[in-house]
Amino acid sequence: MPSHDALVIGAGLVGSAIALRLAQEGLQVALLEQSAPGREASWAGAGMLSPAPDSPAAIPLVPFGRASLSLYAQFVGEIEEISGRQTGYRSEGAIELLFSADAERELSTLIALHHALGLPTEPLPLDEAAKIEPALTRRAHAAAYFPYEACIDNRALIGALLAAAEISGVKMFPNMHVSQILIEHGRCTGAQAEDGTTFKAQNVVIAAGAFSGLLKGIVPPLATRPIRGQMVAFNSHEKTIRHVIRCDRGYLVPRDSARPQRLVTGSTLEDAGFDKRVTAGGIEKILSTAQELVPQLSNAEIAETWSGLRPDTPDHLPLLGPAGVDGLTIATGHYRNGILLTPITAKLVREWIVEKCVSMDWEIFDPLRFHRAKEESARSDDSPSENPASDNEAAGDQAGRKFAHK
Ligand SMILES: Cc1cc2nc3c(=O)[nH]c(=O)nc-3n(C[C@H](O)[C@H](O)[C@H](O)COP(=O)(O)OP(=O)(O)OC[C@H]3O[C@@H](n4cnc5c(N)ncnc54)[C@H](O)[C@@H]3O)c2cc1C
């Protein structure tokens, strides 16, 4: 029966970064992955590193996203150095185009909201936008510039991170589908795989992304659900754009690490269970937005289409922290921001396990919050909102706020 100091379940960006941080502390770490490591959401994502909120529900995430972004350059430098691989990190910033008749007012609202959240977003005059990105459409009515944003080739990053973890001593177990978390006398003692292998450990970390809610043995079960996102990549022989370009319906992300340059464009937000099919309707919507942003893409060669499953939660915020049972820590539910949030998540989980206390407020991400809210409402017999996220969204819409697509 294999025995380790820590088991990490799920070899996406989140699990691999946590495994690396724990191994760097001298812990014997096993990283258990149900299929090939790094081939789920962490592979499928667009790689934008944007702490800007993409909906009113994401506003509480902004400080966490800013903290993670501030760690990114160093995180990537370290991973590249250990692994000897490049990750395609670039920090040119992002441009958002606004198309509505009321674009100027929307721009002022967006800038005011971002400044209140500590994000130095700037208005970008349209002639300036055309100078720095000549391929952009001239049909937008206003533009904003996000000089602090970055992006990364997340496929390159997950490859480098897995290599760095292995070099640092993490033991990989690919094709190891964990079915059951083992709890004995109020303590988590390990996990059991579908093939019957039992792994014993002092610490178990759940980083199984959209699949986390399927794990048996965790009470209450983790409130994750998959939200499908479809994607398209173009081959771009003449480096069509340098910045991430977005609007409220989609985005374009340049990836120079591929030869020729690739432009990754997305996406859809679909509640389709674990179905990862790419559909005509999804691709049509993505292609029409991409061509609206950069008209010359109507002649571009489509290199690839794919989809991935974002790990969503009822309030769209991550599930992070101790799970109410000794030895069990949760790190999942990163929804549309898991690539951005990987460094800060790994930092916090290392602090929980190694230092037993953390350096940031994390209570809004408490993995037991839905359960606690249910218990409280049963006690007070007060009926709370059925869906806090949609209440927030309605409030945001009334305030006339503008949110970009991620
Ligand atoms: C189309 C799309 C675009 C996105 N764009 C962005 C973006 O621009 N910026 C951003 O920050 N985020 C983005 N995201 C979100 C981001 O990709 C995710 O939040 C992040 O990758 C989640 O990482 P993870 O490691 O938690 O999950 P995953 O990468 O899904 O990894 C979880 C792993 O756990 C494994 N696993 C699951 N169950 C078990 C089990 N029982 N036993 C063993 N292993 C198991 C899975 O096989 C998987 O490899 C996007 C996502 C999608 C789908």
Side-chain angles (χ1 to χ4, degrees):
M1 184 185 303
S3 182
H4 297 87
D5 297 321
L7 291 184
V8 180
I9 297 165
L13 282 171
V14 172
S16 310
I18 291 169
L20 171 68
R21 287 291 179 243
L22 296 180
Q24 287 173 326
E25 294 293 331
L27 271 61
Q28 298 286 327
V29 183
L31 181 55
L32 276 46
E33 167 55 49
Q34 65 183 358
S35 53
R39 290 290 296 187
E40 288 292 344
S42 300
W43 173 90
M48 289 178 289
L49 304 177
S50 167
D54 50 23
S55 70
I59 288 176
L61 204 54
V62 171
F64 203 55
R66 284 176 55 199
S68 204
L69 183 63
S70 73
L71 299 176
Y72 232 100
Q74 205 187 343
F75 174 72
V76 157
E78 184 188 346
I79 302 305
E80 290 186 346
E81 194 177 322
I82 301 173
S83 67
R85 298 188 188 195
Q86 297 299 302
T87 61
Y89 175 76
R90 41 193 297 171
S91 53
E92 282 95 340
I95 295 173
E96 184 173 329
L97 299 181
L98 293 87
F99 290 92
S100 79
D102 211 10
E104 281 300 337
R105 193 187 60 84
E106 279 182 12
L107 179 64
S108 317
T109 314
L110 179 144
I111 302 280
L113 171 68
H114 283 204
H115 287 185
L117 294 168
L119 299 168
T121 307
E122 302 164 6
L124 179 65
L126 289 170
D127 54 347
E128 197 58 33
K131 257 189 232 150
I132 57 177
E133 287 290 4
L136 282 189
T137 176
R138 301 292 188 271
R139 301 181 76 165
H141 293 145
Y145 180 44
F146 304 67
Y148 52 90
E149 286 198 8
C151 64
I152 194 150
D153 180 343
N154 41 292
R155 293 184 183 179
L157 176 63
I158 184 66
L161 189 48
L162 287 163
E166 219 161 0
I167 290 165
S168 306
V170 172
K171 186 132 200 295
M172 301 281 176
F173 290 87
N175 303 313
M176 187 61 74
H177 181 191
V178 173
S179 50
Q180 176 89 29
I181 302 305
L182 303 173
I183 313 280
E184 290 167 30
H185 311 297
R187 183 169 221 301
C188 183
T189 56
Q192 188 162 42
E194 212 170 37
D195 69 1
T197 314
T198 297
F199 291 83
K200 287 283 183 189
Q202 294 288 314
N203 293 284
V204 174
V205 181
I206 310 294
F211 307 84
S212 302
L214 301 179
L215 286 163
K216 295 197 193 101
I218 303 175
V219 182
L222 296 172
T224 55
R225 65 168 186 159
I227 294 294
R228 181 168 72 189
Q230 301 187 41
M231 299 284 287
V232 177
F234 297 106
N235 279 332
S236 161
H237 292 274
E238 36 216 50
K239 294 207 174 175
T240 314
I241 54 170
R242 285 172 44 235
H243 299 81
V244 170
I245 310 290
R246 332 186 259 262
C247 68
D248 59 357
R249 293 179 302 290
Y251 49 76
L252 278 161
V253 183
R255 273 189 194 164
D256 281 356
S257 41
R259 293 282 175 279
Q261 184 198 51
R262 278 198 164 191
L263 290 184
V264 172
T265 180
S267 179
T268 57
L269 282 172
E270 300 166 88
D271 188 355
F274 290 92
D275 178 352
K276 285 202 287 182
R277 272 178 298 185
V278 168
T279 65
I283 298 302
E284 184 186 21
K285 173 188 167 283
I286 293 167
L287 290 178
S288 92
T289 304
Q291 291 168 84
E292 198 179 343
L293 291 171
V294 173
Q296 75 187 62
L297 287 176
S298 55
N299 291 318
E301 176 193 4
I302 293 178
E304 190 184 347
T305 60
W306 69 94
S307 81
L309 304 174
R310 302 176 185 88
D312 192 15
T313 65
D315 58 9
H316 310 306
L317 298 177
L319 305 177
L320 284 183
V325 175
D326 280 353
L328 183 61
T329 308
I330 311 299
T332 187
H334 293 76
Y335 193 34
R336 290 189 258 184
N337 294 291
I339 302 168
L340 168 68
L341 298 175
T342 289
I344 191 80
T345 301
K347 177 178 187 301
L348 286 190
V349 173
R350 188 202 69 81
E351 289 175 355
W352 265 304
I353 291 179
V354 176
E355 293 172 22
K356 314 289 178 207
C357 65
V358 286
S359 54
M360 268 192 89
D361 286 342
W362 61 278
E363 283 75 7
I364 55 165
F365 308 127
D366 181 355
L368 297 174
R369 63 187 179 275
F370 308 114
H371 180 64
R372 290 195 214 286
K374 233 190 225 166
E375 280 190 341
E376 264 163 39
S377 88
R379 264 200 304 276
S380 65
D381 205 26
D382 218 10
S383 46
S385 161
E386 283 282 303
N387 185 345
S390 32
D391 288 352
N392 269 342
E393 268 156 33
D397 290 347
Q398 279 159 21
R401 287 174 182 152
K402 191 80 185 70
F403 295 94
H405 189 98
K406 260 199 226 172

